C-alpha cells in the first residue's frame, strides 16, 4: 500500500516538530508557530527553504511555489523553487494559476498582464488582459479587442473577438461581428454560422437554441436544420455517462431526444434518469418513490421503490432496486440474479459483497458464485444516499468479527484495517478519515490504515469539513480529505 500524502504530512509534522499544512508531489508547506512564518519541506523532512517574510507560501506543483510578502496593505508575490530561488522576482503582482496548466502562469501587475513559463521565461508580454482559452491557448486583450495566442506566445490569427471565450473539445460558441451565433475552431476559424440564437453546444453536433422573445428552447443541428421547435421551457443535454440523450421539458413532462435515431420520445414523467439498455428511472415528488420506464414511456417496473440505480460490475450493467428490506439486482433481461432475502452491502468494480442467511459472501455476477467471508459477524451498512456521480462504488467495509472487534475489509474481503477496535465510525459521504475507539479512547485513521492521530482522545465531533478531537480541555482538528473511490489506491 502506497503511503498517502495525508499520512506523509502527519509524519513530516512529527519529524520537523512544526505544522506541515499540506504535502504533494514530494514537497510540503511547513509553518513555524514561534516565528509565524512558512517554509518548504521535502519528503525526507529537510527544510529546504524558510521564508523571511511575513506572508505565506502556496504550493503549485512539484518544486514550484508562490511566495507572498505582506506588509500593511502592500502584498508582493514571486515564483520560487524548493530552495527559495526566485524564478519570477518578488514584486507587486498577483498570479493566475490555472489548475490545468503546469507550463504557463499569468502575472498581473500595474494594470497589465503577462504570461511566463515556470522557469521565469516571458511568453506573452504585458497586455491589457490575458485569459486561458483552453489548455494550450490564450485570449489576449489589446485596445479593447481579444486575439487568440498559442502556448508559445504566437498570435494564431488576425481575427478580432468581442469577448474571451472558453473552448471545449476544440470548439467555442461566440457571438460574431454580425451578432450571430457562431462556432469556431482552435485557430479562430469559422466552423458553423448559425441562423438561430444558440446557447449551448455541449451536445454537439446538436445545438440548443433559445427564442429571445419567448425564452423558449429548441434544438438544431450544426447545419442549421431545425430538429425541435422552440417550445420547451428547458432543454438539458447529458453531461456524464454515454451522453445518448437530450432532455426537453414542458408542462412538467419530459421528452427524450435520442441522438442515434434523432427522434423524440414523449414521456408523462417530470424526472427521468438514464439507466442502461434504454431504460430510465422515473421519480415522483409526491410519493418519493421511483420506477422504471423504457424509451417509449412504457412502465417496466412499477413506481414503488425507495432507491434505483445502475451499477457496472465485471463490465456488465445491472439495475439495483430497493424497497424496504427487499433488494433486487436485474441483468439486461431484467431478471433478478439475487436469491430472495439477499442483501447487498458493497458494490465494487469486479464483484459485490452480499449478506445471505446471516452469512457474508463475496459474490461474482459472472457465474453467480458466492465465496464465504470467514469470521465476520456484522458489516455496517452504507446508506444508499452515498451513491452519486462521484461515488459510483462503495467504500471499504467496516466489519465486526466473531470476537466483537472491528476492522475493515476491501472489495475482495481482504483485511486492510486490523480487527483491533471496540468500534470504527466511517462517514457516509466522501471522507477518507475514520474514527476508531480502543479502551474507551478515540483516534483517527484512514482507509489505508495510516494513523493520523494517536488513540488518546476523550470524544470527537464531526463538523462538515473537520473532525474536532477533545482531550484534557484541548482540541485538535483533522481536516477531511476527499475519498476518491479509487480502489487501486487501497
Amino acid at each position: 500500500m502506497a503511503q498517502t500524502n495525508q499520512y506523509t504530512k502527519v509524519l513530516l509534522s512529527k519529524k520537523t516538530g512544526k505544522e506541515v499544512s499540506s504535502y504533494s508531489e514530494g514537497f510540503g508547506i511547513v509553518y513555524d508557530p514561534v516565528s509565524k512564518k512558512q517554509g518548504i519541506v521535502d519528503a525526507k523532512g529537510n527544510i529546504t527553504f524558510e521564508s523571511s517574510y511575513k506572508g505565506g507560501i502556496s504550493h503549485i506543483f512539484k518544486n514550484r511555489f508562490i511566495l507572498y510578502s505582506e506588509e500593511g496593505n502592500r502584498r508582493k508575490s514571486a515564483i520560487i523553487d524548493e530552495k527559495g530561488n526566485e524564478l519570477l522576482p518578488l514584486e507587486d503582482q498577483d498570479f493566475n494559476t490555472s489548475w490545468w496548466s503546469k507550463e504557463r502562469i499569468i502575472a498581473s501587475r500595474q494594470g497589465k498582464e503577462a504570461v511566463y513559463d515556470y522557469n521565469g521565461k516571458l511568453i506573452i508580454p504585458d497586455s491589457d488582459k490575458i485569459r486561458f482559452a483552453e489548455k494550450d491557448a490564450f485570449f489576449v486583450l489589446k485596445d479593447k479587442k481579444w486575439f487568440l495566442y498559442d502556448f508559445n506566445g504566437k498570435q494564431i490569427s488576425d481575427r478580432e473577438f468581442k469577448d474571451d471565450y472558453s473552448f471545449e473539445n476544440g470548439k467555442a460558441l461566440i457571438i460574431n461581428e454580425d451578432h450571430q451565433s457562431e462556432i469556431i475552431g482552435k485557430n479562430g476559424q469559422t466552423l458553423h454560422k448559425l441562423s438561430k440564437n444558440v446557447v449551448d453546444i455541449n451536445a454537439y453536433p446538436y445545438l440548443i437554441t433559445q427564442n429571445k422573445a419567448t425564452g423558449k428552447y429548441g434544438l438544431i443541428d450544426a447545419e442549421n436544420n431545425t430538429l425541435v421547435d422552440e417550445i420547451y421551457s428547458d432543454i438539458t443535454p447529458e453531461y456524464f455517462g454515454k451522453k445518448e440523450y437530450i432532455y426537453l421539458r414542458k408542462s412538467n413532462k419530459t421528452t427524450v431526444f435520442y441522438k442515434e435515431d434523432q427522434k423524440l420520445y414523449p414521456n408523462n414523467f417530470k424526472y427521468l434518469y438514464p439507466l442502461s439498455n434504454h431504460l430510465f428511472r422515473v421519480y415522483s415528488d409526491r410519493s418519493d418513490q421511483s420506477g422504471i420506464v423504457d424509451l417509449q414511456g412504457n412502465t417496466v417496473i412499477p413506481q414503488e421503490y425507495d432507491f434505483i440505480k445502475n451499477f457496472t460490475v465485471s463490465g456488465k450493467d445491472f439495475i439495483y432496486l430497493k424497497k424496504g428490506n427487499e433488494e433486487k439486482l436485474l441483468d439486461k433481461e431484467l431478471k433478478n440474479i439475487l436469491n430472495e432475502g439477499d442483501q447487498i452491502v458493497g458494490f465494487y468494480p469486479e464483484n459485490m459483497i452480499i449478506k445471505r442467511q446471516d452469512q457474508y459472501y463475496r459474490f461474482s455476477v459472472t457465474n453467480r458464485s458466492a465465496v464465504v467471508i470467514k469470521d465476520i459477524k456484522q458489516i455496517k451498512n452504507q446508506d444508499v444516499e452515498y451513491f452519486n456521480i462521484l461515488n459510483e462504488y462503495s467504500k471499504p467495509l467496516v466489519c465486526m468479527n466473531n470476537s466483537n472487534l472491528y476492522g475493515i475489509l476491501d472489495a475482495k474481503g481482504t483485511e486492510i484495517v486490523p480487527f483491533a477496535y471496540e468500534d470504527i465510525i466511517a462517514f457516509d459521504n466522501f471522507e477518507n478519515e475514520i474514527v476508531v475507539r480502543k479502551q474507551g479512547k478515540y483516534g483517527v485513521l484512514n482507509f489505508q490504515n495510516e494513523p493520523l492521530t494517536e488513540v488518546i482522545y476523550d470524544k470527537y465531533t464531526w463538523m462538515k469539513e473537520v473532525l474536532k478531537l477533545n482531550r484534557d480541555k484541548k482540541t485538535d482538528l483533522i481536516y477531511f480529505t476527499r475519498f476518491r473511490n479509487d480502489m487501486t489506491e487501497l
Side-chain angles (χ1 to χ4, degrees):
M1 300 195 317
Q3 184 170 297
T4 65
N5 290 337
Q6 184 184 33
Y7 187 47
T8 301
K9 185 177 70 172
V10 173
L11 295 178
L12 290 176
S13 295
K14 291 180 179 179
K15 186 170 184 178
T16 61
K18 301 177 182 180
E19 178 187 344
V20 177
S21 58
S22 65
Y23 177 86
S24 65
E25 298 185 275
F27 294 95
I29 304 300
V30 63
Y31 174 74
D32 189 328
V34 178
S35 66
K36 297 184 179 179
K37 294 178 181 177
Q38 291 188 340
I40 298 171
V41 61
D42 67 16
K44 296 181 179 180
N46 302 310
I47 306 296
T48 61
F49 170 72
E50 291 181 288
S51 173
S52 59
Y53 300 103
K54 182 184 292 184
I57 300 174
S58 176
H59 190 188
I60 307 173
F61 66 93
K62 292 185 179 178
N63 64 336
R64 291 296 184 264
F65 306 82
I66 298 178
L67 171 67
Y68 300 102
S69 168
E70 297 175 357
E71 296 181 8
N73 294 326
R74 190 177 182 185
R75 172 168 161 153
K76 295 182 179 181
S77 305
I79 299 294
I80 62 173
D81 64 14
E82 76 280 11
K83 296 181 179 180
N85 297 313
E86 294 183 9
L87 306 174
L88 280 175
L90 194 67
E91 295 181 359
D92 290 315
Q93 60 189 346
D94 290 311
F95 295 107
N96 177 356
T97 56
S98 172
W99 63 270
W100 60 34
S101 178
K102 295 183 178 181
E103 299 178 52
R104 302 290 185 264
I105 187 168
I106 299 174
S108 305
R109 52 177 174 260
Q110 298 178 352
K112 296 289 185 178
E113 295 185 335
V115 176
Y116 295 86
D117 69 13
Y118 278 100
N119 293 316
K121 179 183 176 182
L122 179 65
I123 303 298
I124 301 176
D126 285 351
S127 306
D128 296 331
K129 283 185 180 180
I130 301 176
R131 297 289 182 267
F132 280 94
E134 56 179 342
K135 293 183 179 181
D136 56 0
F138 298 93
F139 269 112
V140 178
L141 182 65
K142 295 180 179 180
D143 300 324
K144 299 182 180 180
K145 299 171 184 177
W146 291 94
F147 298 90
L148 269 172
Y149 279 66
D150 67 17
F151 245 33
N152 295 318
K154 181 181 178 181
Q155 186 172 326
I156 295 173
S157 75
D158 294 329
R159 185 171 184 181
E160 303 171 357
F161 297 92
K162 297 179 181 179
D163 207 345
D164 56 316
Y165 299 98
S166 295
F167 282 81
E168 186 69 28
N169 296 322
K171 301 177 183 67
L173 174 66
I174 73 166
I175 302 299
N176 66 18
E177 301 82 354
D178 300 321
H179 306 287
Q180 292 178 306
S181 295
E182 181 180 326
I183 298 176
I184 63 172
K186 292 180 65 174
N187 295 323
Q189 77 276 24
T190 298
L191 298 179
H192 308 281
K193 283 189 177 181
L194 307 162
S195 58
K196 293 190 176 183
N197 176 39
V198 176
V199 294
D200 194 324
I201 65 171
N202 281 288
Y204 182 88
Y206 306 106
L207 314 171
I208 298 172
T209 67
Q210 185 179 31
N211 187 304
K212 292 183 179 180
T214 65
K216 299 295 185 179
Y217 296 90
L219 200 63
I220 65 174
D221 64 19
E223 306 306 321
N224 277 305
N225 299 307
T226 298
L227 304 175
V228 175
D229 291 330
E230 292 172 332
I231 59 174
Y232 289 89
S233 58
D234 179 61
I235 297 182
T236 306
E238 277 187 319
Y239 293 103
F240 306 101
K242 296 180 179 179
K243 302 180 182 180
E244 296 179 282
Y245 311 106
I246 300 173
Y247 301 95
L248 306 90
R249 292 183 177 85
K250 183 177 63 172
S251 303
N252 286 331
K253 293 183 180 180
T254 297
T255 293
V256 179
F257 177 83
Y258 182 30
K259 292 181 182 179
E260 185 171 312
D261 62 13
Q262 297 187 23
K263 292 182 179 180
L264 293 173
Y265 294 87
N267 209 291
N268 290 320
F269 297 93
K270 181 178 180 181
Y271 301 110
L272 287 171
Y273 306 92
L275 296 168
S276 57
N277 299 316
H278 307 307
L279 298 175
F280 301 84
R281 176 174 71 90
V282 292
Y283 171 76
S284 169
D285 284 325
R286 294 180 180 178
S287 66
D288 195 27
Q289 301 288 292
S290 295
I292 297 176
V293 298
D294 62 17
L295 189 56
Q296 289 74 27
N298 302 310
T299 297
V300 176
I301 300 292
Q303 203 165 353
E304 58 187 28
Y305 286 85
D306 304 319
F307 183 80
I308 297 176
K309 188 183 182 304
N310 195 82
F311 286 94
T312 301
V313 183
S314 293
K316 298 181 179 180
D317 290 323
F318 295 90
I319 298 174
Y320 171 71
L321 303 96
K322 181 176 175 61
K323 178 172 60 177
N325 292 325
E326 177 190 346
E327 298 183 33
K328 295 180 180 180
L329 192 69
L330 308 183
D331 61 17
K332 64 180 181 179
E333 282 82 28
L334 298 183
K335 295 180 179 179
N336 182 22
I337 69 169
L338 299 177
N339 293 348
E340 184 176 351
D342 284 355
Q343 292 180 306
I344 302 175
V345 294
F347 291 92
Y348 300 102
E350 299 302 327
N351 62 271
M352 299 184 307
I353 305 296
I354 67 170
K355 183 180 181 182
R356 176 176 289 172
Q357 298 177 347
D358 296 324
Q359 180 67 62
Y360 294 96
Y361 297 85
R362 182 160 54 90
F363 181 76
S364 170
V365 299
T366 56
N367 58 16
R368 304 187 189 182
S369 63
V371 178
V372 67
I373 302 175
K374 298 179 180 179
D375 196 32
I376 296 299
K377 182 177 181 180
Q378 178 187 351
I379 294 179
K380 289 190 176 183
N381 287 339
Q382 190 168 288
D383 196 311
V384 292
E385 298 303 320
Y386 167 77
F387 298 109
N388 56 40
I389 194 66
L390 297 175
N391 301 312
E392 289 293 321
Y393 297 101
S394 302
K395 290 184 180 182
L397 298 170
V398 177
C399 308
M400 178 197 288
N401 66 11
N402 289 328
S403 299
N404 294 330
L405 293 174
Y406 284 89
I408 295 180
L409 302 181
D410 67 8
K412 297 178 181 179
T414 303
E415 178 183 298
I416 58 175
V417 174
F419 287 81
Y421 300 99
E422 298 163 4
D423 196 9
I424 294 178
I425 299 94
F427 302 97
D428 286 335
N429 44 12
F430 317 126
E431 321 307 356
N432 189 35
E433 293 69 24
I434 53 177
V435 173
V436 298
R437 189 180 75 204
K438 194 172 186 178
Q439 296 179 348
K441 298 292 184 179
Y442 295 96
V444 181
L445 309 178
N446 59 24
F447 281 110
Q448 291 76 26
N449 193 32
E450 297 170 330
L452 305 181
T453 73
E454 297 180 73
V455 187
I456 56 175
Y457 295 94
D458 300 317
K459 66 177 183 178
Y460 74 93
T461 307
W462 176 27
M463 299 179 63
K464 289 186 178 180
E465 296 181 354
V466 67
L467 277 170
K468 292 179 65 176
L469 302 156
N470 298 98
R471 176 195 181 208
D472 298 333
K473 298 182 180 180
K474 294 182 180 180
T475 300
D476 290 327
L477 303 178
I478 295 289
Y479 286 90
F480 288 124
T481 59
R482 292 304 186 188
F483 185 73
R484 295 302 183 189
N485 219 342
D486 184 354
M487 301 310 297
T488 60
E489 293 183 0
L490 300 179

